[in-house]
Amino acid sequence: MSVTYLGPSGTFTHQAAVALRPDLRVDAGAGDLVPATSAADALAAVESGAATYAVLPIDNSVNGVVVPTLDGLLLRPALSIVDSVVLPISFDAYTRDPTIEPHVVVSHPHGLAQCRTWIEARGLPTREASSTAAACRDLGPGEIGIGPRICGSLYDLHAVAEAVEDNAAAYTQFALVSAGPVPDAGPGVGAGDDGLLVGLFPDANVPGLLRRLLGVLEDRGVNMTNLVTRPVPATPGIFVFLLFLSGSFSADDVEEMRAEWAHLGASARPLGRISPLARMAARP
């Protein structure tokens, strides 16, 4: 078994892959955790059978959904989300040699921006890196790297400080994707099986269609936690509606909703089981 994830080694997605598959080795040279350069490459590896799973970010409490992941899933109907995990986006500060006086802080521009208060309190200049993981991996003498907690053990670094981010309430949800249909309700790969992500593909753009499609959920007492629209490239003016649903859905429930949506003029495809981000972030 192998798991591919959005790399390089030491990213938050790497950390999520370890959380979702703790039985796999963590170190950067391990053959069962393989970094990918893009979401499309990670999903293509699962589609081709080169990898068993892909781990990708799907939703963020600050910036919203991760569009490349959603678009990649829409393009690959043979894949589905089978589990998910939510991680706090927390940054630690590292150095390679604690005996050397630091003279610069290095990280990705987003990491530097999210840790501005801690950096400015120390009066240190900054330098941008291609990623938070690369900043920690390539640390030189007298440099402080800001990155995910996994970087400490991965690159044998000394922790200068923990949780140096300005916003302690940022979370990202990561999806575990495999080949095959969406699993039925009940115990799944992990703890992310109490929600559903569904794609609705309308036959035509007509007035009131979205309201009627959402009425299927209202009639059943199903809560929708998010709605995302994505264009269909081959048919200008037609959009896919991605519904993030909260609840436990059996195979019969899904088929009944699909039949109702088809009657209203839209085909439906479940993309996977994924818990609402807020619910998972609240878990101990």
Side-chain angles (χ1 to χ4, degrees):
M1 177 170 54
S2 64
V3 175
T4 185
Y5 61 90
L6 192 58
S9 299
T11 58
F12 285 107
T13 312
H14 187 180
Q15 192 165 300
V18 174
L20 284 163
R21 301 299 311 188
D23 52 313
L24 300 182
R25 292 171 57 198
V26 179
D27 55 288
D32 45 15
L33 279 173
V34 183
T37 57
S38 68
D41 287 347
L43 293 173
V46 177
E47 188 176 43
S48 69
T52 312
Y53 297 105
V55 177
L56 295 168
I58 199 163
D59 198 5
N60 178 268
S61 63
V62 176
N63 297 316
V65 298
V66 182
V67 171
T69 300
L70 295 177
D71 285 350
L73 287 168
L74 287 171
L75 289 172
R76 296 171 173 84
L79 306 184
S80 64
I81 299 170
V82 297
D83 197 6
S84 61
V85 67
V86 166
L87 297 182
I89 301 305
S90 181
F91 297 89
D92 290 350
Y94 295 102
T95 185
R96 196 167 295 282
D97 186 349
T99 66
I100 299 178
E101 187 71 19
H103 60 82
V104 66
V105 178
V106 187
S107 191
H108 185 272
H110 290 175
L112 295 173
Q114 293 182 58
C115 304
R116 180 58 55 192
T117 300
W118 186 88
I119 296 170
E120 290 181 348
R122 280 142 190 84
L124 293 173
T126 62
R127 190 179 78 246
E128 296 181 356
S130 60
S131 72
T132 55
C136 293
R137 179 194 63 198
D138 301 332
L139 275 183
E143 296 181 346
I144 292 178
I146 289 181
R149 182 152 300 176
I150 193 175
C151 288
S153 58
L154 195 63
Y155 298 120
D156 193 25
L157 303 175
H158 172 80
V160 175
E162 296 181 349
V164 298
E165 67 276 0
D166 295 343
N167 181 3
Y171 293 87
T172 296
Q173 185 171 34
F174 299 86
L176 183 69
V177 179
S178 73
V182 175
D184 198 1
V189 177
D193 58 353
D194 57 347
L196 192 68
L197 175 59
V198 178
L200 294 182
F201 301 78
D203 298 332
N205 189 346
V206 296
L209 176 62
L210 179 59
R211 177 185 58 81
R212 292 190 291 274
L213 295 174
L214 296 182
V216 172
L217 305 178
E218 183 179 7
D219 293 344
R220 290 173 168 268
V222 174
N223 187 38
M224 181 180 66
T225 61
N226 199 359
L227 169 65
V228 178
T229 61
R230 299 299 301 149
V232 180
T235 54
I238 301 296
F239 293 82
V240 179
F241 301 121
L242 291 169
L243 312 183
F244 289 73
L245 307 182
S246 176
S248 181
F249 303 91
S250 69
D252 289 341
D253 293 330
V254 174
E255 287 307 311
E256 288 173 8
M257 289 191 295
R258 291 179 72 172
E260 292 181 51
W261 281 321
H263 178 72
L264 293 171
S267 59
R269 174 161 66 87
L271 275 69
R273 296 201 170 269
I274 182 165
S275 299
L277 187 152
R279 178 181 297 178
M280 294 191 73
R283 290 174 179 169

